[in-house]
Amino acid sequence: MSENQESLAKLGHENRLFPPSAEFIAQANAQASMYDEAEKDRLAFWEKQAHELQWDAPWTTVLDWKVPFAKWFVGGKINASVNALDRHVAQGRGDRVAFFFEGEPGDTRTITYAQLLTEVKKTANALTELGIKDGDRVAIYMPMIPEAAIAMLACARIGAPHSVVFGGFSADALLSRIQDADAKLVITADGGYRKGAPFALKPAVDDALKGKTNVKNVLVVKRTGQETHWDSNKDVWWHDIVDRQSTEHVAQSFDSEHPLFILYTSGTTAKPKGISHTTGGYLTQVAYTHKMVFDIKPETDVYWCTADVGWVTGHSYVVYGPLINGATQVMYEGTPDTPHKGRIFELIAKYKVSILYTAPTLIRTWMKWGDEFPNAHNLKSLRLLGSVGEPINPEAWMWYREVIGGDRCPIVDTWWQTETGAIMISPLPGVTHTKPGSAMRPLPGISGKVVDDNGKEVGLGHGGYLILDKPWPSMLRGIWGEEERYKETYWSRFDGVYFAGDGAKIDTDAAIWLLGRVDDVMNVSGHRISTTEVESALVSHAAVAEAAVVGAADEMTGQGIVAFVILRGGIPNVCGEELIKELRAHVAKEIGAIAKPRQIVVVQELPKTRSGKIMRRLLKDVAENRAVGDSTTLADPNVMALISQGLSTAKDED
Ligand code: WT7
């Protein structure tokens, strides 16, 4: 953990403290007493949060815990879509705006809770007509448009677990996810808008479905009007089938432990993990955290989480949490620099956004673009700022606070994972005195610790591994179809406790500082990509014999992907620009553009131990332009000198 030790030293100097203002405290949803309350009786605390939801039948057991398998609110019956929609309409909130949608080209739609409910009911009826029943898996591959949320809620309404695949993933990545979950239906769009132009999605679905699947239909939203190949045996236009459905649909209640969704995320091997979440516990924790961490006042706030529904943040803090709490949200389809670098700020001013939740990579990008863009817009409506996805460096935190938040908005740096389902470590606005760059402490009801190699808690002021030692309602219930892998990945490093994969430090005030992944998982712009996944994409190219991939510190994206490749015999041993371009395009095809290496270095040899294990640590030193660390265990001690000499680069030009 040499990199971690460096960061530890740096973090030791962060002494700034930002207490909440008296005005914020006076109106805050969260109270300091919640920590004690939860500590005294954790299960009673969670029961109280669960009572905020509408249940169709009460649970008989709060928690059934047989390590590592949890069941929450056992026996309870509930419907996710009813909690997100019907409840608000039934209680007279149907006219409240659920979404202010802004397309990238500037088209807008305002959708109330009543309208959203009607659309979800019609879509649920359409899914039923297409033969989808509870338990069937549905893959969703969409741009960031309201139909993405409608599709998810319609699946939830009929008990069909959704598997949302980020629209930036390739056909190959989509196919492997469709196959792994054995999806029966794919919901997609002809395309969407990004960077000022339409991009196509349907062709990727067509490509994917050339593989062997059990997909019977493809339901297609018309978004861009692009010419699309059509197979009338399989393809169905959304407007043809959804629009003619009845607006009546009585939701069925499902067991609290009924699967709600699968979401694939990268692990340390090439095969993505299908993280499985169920209903009652998940909804309880996303609603609770959304209310407390974002201090949501649904009557007056306009909330904007900039995440795509393809990631867990979009599931928990665009779809389920905010809708259950009756929030009014902004949803934006496009990129932050289209048509100009002030687009996000323009939208904050236009919709009077009061709560903004985004990622450090975007904050650092804004910093680079310059203060003139935010300064050109009225951001006074903002009252709370959130950050998620990767550690936020103190400089970016301070800039976020001063330039975006006008020095008046509390910042919540929220640590969690696809696996945890909901926020776990975060300040409580109105309670916590925050430090720039720290996620502070576990939320009331959550137990997290920093431990050493032996699983023993480290003392204050020390670093180690972050673990979660008590089950929580929104925890993953497993990896889809891979029980052994679930146990092995999360529960074997330290006996009986969940190992998150992150390094962390707990300072002398018991504030937690996240230090990044300690395994072979990279974090690029807040997205998890495994080194092995990129390596196997590279070696699947005819020119590559061997590949080693590392995540190197990157000022903008947190980490950048750097690949070292050995070419196959017979391939001219020059680091041709053409070949490197081709390799980068190949990775984009295999996984998606987000996994394209920032840099590819052609080498003669990789640094290996005598037992043949690649020493990525040394490659990381090279990639981060550091003196190469201890290489005495290398089989061939000269290899590192050769690699450092042979550095040849091809920078990402898009
Ligand atoms: C990994 C989880 C949680 C939704 C988005 C990412 C890193 C996440 C923080 C934070 C430091 C963070 C961790 C974690 N991470 N939030 N506030 N501070 N690191 O979800 O793709 O499942 O990735 O993201 O390394 O393990 P994910």
Side-chain angles (χ1 to χ4, degrees):
M1 291 213 302
S2 67
E3 187 197 4
N4 286 352
Q5 275 146 16
E6 249 173 67
S7 337
L8 284 177
K10 260 190 252 154
L11 292 175
H13 302 299
E14 185 52 73
N15 294 319
R16 288 169 290 194
L17 203 61
F18 292 88
S21 68
E23 298 89 290
F24 203 102
I25 296 171
Q27 58 84 63
N29 287 348
Q31 302 301 321
S33 57
M34 288 163 49
Y35 291 106
D36 278 345
E37 187 193 336
E39 192 59 42
K40 268 198 204 99
D41 191 342
R42 205 168 48 90
L43 294 187
F45 177 82
W46 282 119
E47 271 198 286
K48 185 169 149 190
Q49 310 313 325
H51 278 302
E52 297 281 312
L53 302 178
Q54 180 177 312
W55 295 80
D56 304 318
W59 55 88
T60 48
T61 309
V62 186
L63 169 66
D64 173 344
W65 178 228
K66 294 185 190 74
V67 189
F69 300 102
K71 290 184 183 148
W72 281 86
F73 311 115
V74 185
K77 299 259 185 227
I78 192 164
N79 184 292
S81 143
V82 166
N83 274 274
L85 301 171
D86 304 54
R87 195 159 63 131
H88 302 304
V89 176
Q91 293 170 8
R93 297 186 286 276
D95 291 337
R96 184 182 295 165
V97 173
F99 287 110
F100 289 115
F101 169 72
E102 180 101 7
E104 196 186 73
D107 55 316
T108 61
R109 284 158 75 183
T110 299
I111 306 171
T112 65
Y113 273 87
Q115 290 166 336
L116 193 58
L117 174 57
T118 301
E119 289 312 309
V120 168
K121 284 179 170 175
K122 281 163 39 184
T123 309
N125 286 327
L127 296 183
T128 305
E129 184 181 316
L130 292 172
I132 302 302
K133 297 190 190 59
D134 65 278
D136 289 343
R137 275 81 61 202
V138 175
I140 298 178
Y141 185 64
M142 297 272 262
M144 194 58 184
I145 57 174
E147 284 79 5
I150 292 169
M152 290 164 73
L153 290 162
C155 287
R157 195 172 184 88
I158 62 169
H162 51 72
S163 162
V164 183
V165 180
F166 174 55
F169 279 127
S170 67
D172 292 349
L174 174 63
L175 173 62
S176 66
R177 285 158 176 78
I178 289 173
Q179 287 172 330
D180 190 78
D182 193 17
K184 260 177 96 170
L185 174 74
V186 180
I187 307 180
T188 188
D190 49 359
Y193 293 95
R194 237 185 96 76
K195 295 188 182 174
F199 69 93
L201 281 171
K202 175 67 165 40
V205 177
D206 294 339
D207 258 4
L209 295 184
K210 287 177 189 150
K212 198 174 155 24
T213 73
N214 289 314
V215 170
K216 303 278 176 306
N217 291 106
V218 180
L219 180 56
V220 190
V221 175
K222 191 175 235 156
R223 167 66 183 141
T224 59
Q226 286 155 295
E227 194 71 47
T228 291
H229 166 83
W230 205 253
D231 171 355
S232 49
N233 290 322
K234 196 170 66 214
D235 300 339
V236 186
W237 282 113
W238 177 288
H239 55 262
D240 279 345
I241 189 166
V242 173
D243 288 3
R244 62 174 167 76
Q245 298 294 324
S246 158
T247 56
E248 297 304 316
H249 181 273
V250 180
Q252 216 185 309
S253 11
F254 295 100
D255 205 83
S256 176
E257 283 298 331
H258 187 83
L260 181 62
F261 66 87
I262 304 168
L263 185 58
Y264 286 85
T265 189
S266 296
T268 54
T269 69
K271 184 171 185 278
K273 301 177 285 193
I275 303 302
S276 303
H277 283 285
T278 60
T279 312
Y282 172 81
L283 297 180
T284 296
Q285 194 174 331
V286 295
Y288 154 74
T289 51
H290 181 259
K291 179 173 171 184
M292 297 305 172
V293 174
F294 298 110
D295 194 53
I296 194 83
K297 305 289 190 292
E299 299 80 16
T300 48
D301 275 317
V302 176
Y303 163 91
W304 186 7
C305 166
T306 62
D308 189 282
V309 287
W311 310 109
V312 73
T313 310
H315 285 58
S316 303
Y317 298 107
V318 176
V319 178
Y320 293 107
L323 293 178
I324 289 174
N325 289 333
T328 294
Q329 307 189 63
V330 170
M331 178 189 273
Y332 172 57
E333 177 187 32
T335 47
D337 54 352
T338 308
H340 56 79
K341 295 187 166 82
R343 185 72 189 267
I344 302 286
F345 312 119
E346 182 180 79
L347 294 177
I348 291 172
K350 174 176 176 183
Y351 293 109
K352 300 198 167 50
V353 171
S354 55
I355 302 170
L356 180 70
Y357 190 29
T358 194
T361 183
L362 183 59
I363 299 167
R364 289 191 295 263
T365 303
W366 286 335
M367 280 175 82
K368 184 184 78 179
W369 287 344
D371 295 6
E372 62 267 32
F373 298 102
N375 289 348
H377 300 276
N378 182 351
L379 306 182
K380 292 220 161 50
S381 55
L382 289 171
R383 66 177 195 92
L384 180 81
L385 302 173
S387 170
V388 65
E390 52 174 316
I392 178 165
N393 45 310
E395 298 71 35
W397 195 100
M398 287 304 298
W399 184 90
Y400 197 26
R401 180 176 165 96
E402 285 162 7
V403 180
I404 305 300
D407 241 339
R408 68 182 179 276
C409 306
I411 295 180
V412 288
D413 173 9
T414 62
W415 179 90
W416 57 296
Q417 306 178 297
T418 306
E419 291 87 342
T420 70
I423 298 171
M424 303 294 282
I425 304 178
S426 166
L428 282 178
V431 175
T432 311
H433 295 217
T434 52
K435 299 184 180 195
S438 170
M440 302 307 294
R441 63 182 282 197
L443 290 176
I446 300 300
S447 182
K449 299 198 166 84
V450 181
V451 301
D452 64 17
D453 272 312
N454 302 315
K456 203 171 144 309
E457 219 177 324
V458 301
L460 297 186
H462 293 276
Y465 306 98
L466 178 69
I467 57 109
L468 303 166
D469 61 347
K470 302 222 166 79
W472 62 99
S474 64
M475 66 191 282
L476 76 167
R477 299 304 195 258
I479 300 176
W480 183 258
E482 298 183 281
E483 193 173 304
E484 273 316 306
R485 192 178 179 197
Y486 169 65
K487 292 185 194 158
E488 163 71 28
T489 308
Y490 303 107
W491 303 91
S492 69
R493 178 70 180 78
F494 303 107
D495 199 28
V497 302
Y498 175 87
F499 175 45
D502 283 321
K505 178 201 173 175
I506 183 154
D507 73 12
T508 47
D509 299 320
I512 293 177
W513 300 78
L514 276 310
L515 302 175
R517 307 286 308 182
V518 297
D519 53 18
D520 290 334
V521 176
M522 300 173 286
N523 188 326
V524 182
S525 297
H527 299 136
R528 268 159 71 178
I529 300 165
S530 87
T531 54
T532 335
E533 207 173 357
V534 180
E535 284 165 5
S536 65
L538 283 166
V539 296
S540 74
H541 187 281
V544 178
E546 257 190 279
V549 165
V550 296
D554 186 291
E555 232 176 83
M556 244 357 106
T557 59
Q559 284 190 314
I561 304 176
V562 179
F564 297 83
V565 298
I566 301 178
L567 299 181
R568 271 179 201 280
I571 306 284
N573 200 3
V574 286
C575 327
E577 287 284 311
E578 276 310 302
L579 177 61
I580 283 168
K581 264 206 188 121
E582 200 181 303
L583 291 179
R584 294 183 64 245
H586 182 71
V587 175
K589 180 186 161 288
E590 292 289 309
I591 307 171
I594 43 167
K596 264 200 247 180
R598 180 186 79 183
Q599 206 175 352
I600 296 181
V601 186
V602 176
V603 296
Q604 303 292 325
E605 254 337 309
L606 288 168
K608 289 186 185 155
T609 60
R610 271 168 282 260
S611 61
K613 197 170 174 300
I614 295 175
M615 293 183 74
R616 287 196 183 71
R617 173 171 66 76
L618 301 178
L619 293 173
K620 207 168 150 126
D621 288 340
V622 173
E624 294 180 340
N625 300 317
R626 254 197 313 273
V628 173
D630 180 15
S631 55
T632 48
T633 53
L634 278 181
D636 173 2
N638 295 321
V639 112
M640 286 317 295
L642 283 174
I643 291 174
S644 303
Q645 277 163 24
L647 256 187
S648 160
T649 62
K651 288 273 176 198
D652 191 345
E653 66 284 339
D654 42 29

